[in-house]
Amino acid sequence: MDEKHKIEIQPGDAILKLKELENNSIDLIVTDPPYNLAKDYGNDSDSKSFKDYIIFTEAWTKEASRVLKPTGTIYVFMGFRFISYLYQILEKENKLHFCNWICWYYTQGIGRKRGFSPRHDDILMFTKSKDYIFNLDAVRVPQKYYRSINNMRGANPGDVWEFSHVHYCQGNRQDHPTQKPEGLIERMILASSNKGDQVVDPFAGSGTTLRVCQQLKRNCLGFELNADYVELTKKRLSEPFAGFDSTDPKMERVPNDLNDSEIREEYIQNHVDWFLKNHDNARDEFYKKVQNKHSKDKI
Ligand SMILES: C[S@@+](CC[C@H](N)C(=O)[O-])C[C@H]1O[C@@H](n2cnc3c(N)ncnc32)[C@H](O)[C@@H]1O
């Protein structure tokens, strides 16, 4: 592993572990706490009473806010049941600054017969102050059209992010009920931290945040209550890397009107470097799309 960054998973309770960290010492927190929907994480952490869940959320967010640097950012995943309470707690109790309400849109999920089938989770992004890190160039997405006046380096990805769940048949699927797609976490880490920065995930689960930080050369410290998930994370971190397990479909988009073959050739090379840097496994699909679109022309 690169000597310059440290990836560490520790067993234990998030609140107690956060208490061990110094004030204003962490650049970025990316976390996905239990949503309190009675999922089985091998403990009863997802089955609290309403009141206890609020007390738990107040306690861990208080510590998380304390340890963030003044330029730091926190992203928190949350389900519909508690997101409004979480928002209040972050803004009113912890005095953090609201930055974005991100919608993670997924195309597949459970079906409902009465009511609409849920197809998104939400992610709240708050910062400790108004002076925070945001690397837009690191997270741009391909333009829809080639135009000389367009910034072909890409567009702002917006606040609706499409990523599929990690399917059970995928090689990187871990034995954890709520594993998140790596591509989703990649965008948060790239936007809100720099190489060598310190990231924390207090509810590490199968270690997705740690795995992404490992590849993006950030330091990462994770906490996890279930010792089996700690072991699973250690194994995941030791595995060879073949690209992140999920890609925003926009990243494989070939802009329309790339008619000049010289410009197209240069663009295609840039596209791979800009948008598919950590996604070797998505390159073939992109090249196929280029072929389909420009089959009559020399590529
Ligand atoms: C929603 S999952 C995180 C999934 C993770 N983002 C991933 O991609 O695998 C929440 C995790 O928090 C853990 N957890 C619950 N209460 C905890 C606590 N008090 N301290 C540390 N971890 C806890 C659960 O065991 C579970 O693995």
Side-chain angles (χ1 to χ4, degrees):
M1 191 202 293
D2 190 327
E3 289 299 316
K4 283 181 247 129
H5 66 286
K6 187 173 175 189
I7 307 294
E8 191 183 359
I9 176 76
Q10 293 182 3
D13 175 73
I15 299 167
L16 299 178
K17 286 287 177 184
L18 283 167
K19 280 184 197 283
E20 292 173 11
L21 303 181
E22 285 180 22
N23 292 349
N24 306 316
S25 59
I26 304 301
D27 295 286
L28 172 63
I29 296 177
V30 172
T31 200
D32 174 28
Y35 293 1
N36 213 28
L37 295 175
K39 292 263 178 207
D40 180 6
Y41 294 123
N43 46 54
D44 59 3
S45 65
D46 208 35
S47 305
K48 295 184 192 317
S49 68
F50 177 86
K51 192 172 161 213
D52 284 351
Y53 188 75
I54 297 295
I55 292 170
F56 160 77
T57 304
E58 287 171 336
W60 80 257
T61 58
K62 182 177 169 206
E63 293 307 319
S65 306
R66 178 185 63 76
V67 302
L68 269 187
K69 284 185 185 171
T71 50
T73 299
I74 179 169
Y75 292 84
V76 191
F77 286 78
M78 191 43 62
F80 60 88
R81 230 184 118 198
F82 283 95
I83 193 147
S84 60
Y85 302 99
L86 174 68
Y87 188 107
Q88 291 288 321
I89 291 170
L90 292 172
E91 189 175 63
K92 300 283 181 234
E93 295 185 22
N94 293 295
K95 310 283 179 236
L96 296 175
H97 294 261
F98 172 71
C99 190
N100 276 117
W101 184 311
I102 297 160
C103 169
W104 166 33
Y105 162 61
Y106 40 84
T107 49
Q108 285 175 314
I110 52 165
R112 281 181 68 186
K113 290 230 164 64
R114 288 169 63 77
F116 301 103
S117 301
R119 289 293 176 269
H120 77 277
D121 279 15
D122 292 298
I123 302 158
L124 294 182
M125 175 191 180
F126 277 74
T127 59
K128 185 124 168 196
S129 74
K130 289 185 178 161
D131 174 24
Y132 56 92
I133 293 166
F134 192 76
N135 305 315
L136 177 57
D137 279 349
V139 292
R140 290 181 182 276
V141 297
Q143 299 279 8
K144 261 190 184 161
Y145 291 92
Y146 175 77
R147 297 277 182 271
S148 55
I149 53 155
N150 277 358
N151 178 359
M152 295 313 288
R153 178 62 189 84
N156 187 308
D159 57 4
V160 178
W161 299 359
E162 181 179 348
F163 288 92
S164 299
H165 280 106
V166 188
H167 292 290
Y168 287 92
C169 56
Q170 263 180 264
N172 190 42
R173 178 69 209 196
Q174 309 294 319
D175 189 11
H176 187 285
T178 57
Q179 178 182 351
K180 297 298 179 291
E182 290 172 349
L184 193 58
I185 309 284
E186 177 194 16
R187 187 170 285 166
M188 301 173 196
I189 307 280
L190 287 174
S192 300
S193 69
N194 295 312
K195 280 186 186 165
D197 278 359
Q198 182 64 56
V199 180
V200 168
D201 183 349
F203 302 95
S206 66
T208 308
T209 307
L210 288 98
R211 179 60 161 169
V212 173
C213 285
Q214 180 191 48
Q215 299 309 320
L216 300 180
K217 302 193 172 11
R218 272 64 170 175
N219 299 293
C220 188
L221 177 59
F223 307 131
E224 172 53 55
L225 208 52
N226 184 329
D228 292 341
Y229 297 153
V230 171
E231 290 314 307
L232 182 154
T233 295
K234 286 183 184 164
K235 183 167 174 293
R236 181 173 179 184
L237 291 169
S238 70
E239 274 160 11
F241 180 68
F244 288 132
D245 61 20
S246 43
T247 306
D248 177 339
K250 284 197 198 86
M251 294 306 207
E252 292 165 354
R253 167 158 92 186
V254 186
N256 293 321
D257 299 346
L258 256 176
N259 299 324
D260 180 309
S261 62
E262 253 177 62
I263 293 177
R264 187 163 68 234
E265 226 168 280
E266 186 187 336
Y267 173 80
I268 288 164
Q269 186 50 51
N270 284 337
H271 183 113
V272 171
D273 294 343
W274 291 331
F275 306 118
L276 299 173
K277 201 168 172 203
N278 300 299
H279 297 259
D280 286 7
N281 39 7
R283 289 181 184 186
D284 285 352
E285 194 52 38
F286 171 67
Y287 288 132
K288 241 188 259 165
K289 285 186 179 162
V290 176
Q291 278 285 357
N292 287 344
K293 209 161 197 162
H294 298 283
S295 55
K296 288 197 213 95
D297 312 320
K298 186 177 167 294
I299 293 160

